[in-house]
Amino acid sequence: MEFKFEPKLLDYMQKHNKRTIVVELVEINNSDFEITELHVRFVDARLREQFLTKKRYRLYTTPHGEVLLPRFPLELEETVSFGLKSFLGFKRLTYTGIKV
């Protein structure tokens, strides 16, 4: 499996000293409907350790940073890409190659 980072994201990571990306599964189960989504975000060193020790996430090291993935099965393509989108000054991580 290969992880790719878009140049815009690499610049942001270097400028803001971000190194670790975590992919979390968010589930909302209401009596009427159920929603399952992936949430991709940066974490600091303290949260990184919690994801590794308590939640037992898998760590993948890349030349540009680290990616933490949950232990439950996700549909991963051979190449997973991360990017950065900006809307009205708010930054958001994007991804391709990962499905629930």
Side-chain angles (χ1 to χ4, degrees):
M1 176 178 6
E2 179 184 6
F3 293 99
K4 290 190 177 182
F5 297 81
E6 293 179 359
K8 190 175 179 181
L9 175 61
L10 289 173
D11 291 340
Y12 180 84
M13 289 172 69
Q14 188 172 31
K15 182 178 178 183
H16 296 282
N17 197 23
K18 303 287 185 182
R19 180 138 180 86
T20 306
I21 295 175
V22 65
V23 178
E24 295 179 273
L25 183 67
V26 179
E27 293 184 276
I28 300 172
N29 191 356
N30 197 330
S31 61
D32 296 333
F33 60 92
E34 183 177 333
I35 298 173
T36 303
E37 290 185 358
L38 289 175
H39 180 63
V40 179
R41 64 186 175 118
F42 289 112
V43 292
D44 60 12
R46 182 183 57 84
L47 283 176
R48 176 191 179 274
E49 289 306 313
Q50 286 183 357
F51 277 102
L52 288 174
T53 58
K54 292 184 180 178
K55 294 186 177 184
R56 305 185 53 88
Y57 271 50
R58 295 175 291 175
L59 176 67
Y60 295 92
T61 305
T62 72
H64 306 293
E66 301 172 330
V67 178
L68 293 171
L69 294 175
R71 297 196 62 83
F72 54 82
L74 294 173
E75 292 181 35
L76 299 170
E77 294 179 5
E78 190 61 34
T79 301
V80 176
S81 300
F82 293 104
L84 184 69
K85 296 287 182 187
S86 180
F87 181 71
L88 296 176
F90 294 100
K91 306 280 191 252
R92 174 174 69 89
L93 286 174
T94 61
Y95 60 90
T96 58
I98 306 173
K99 296 178 186 173
V100 179

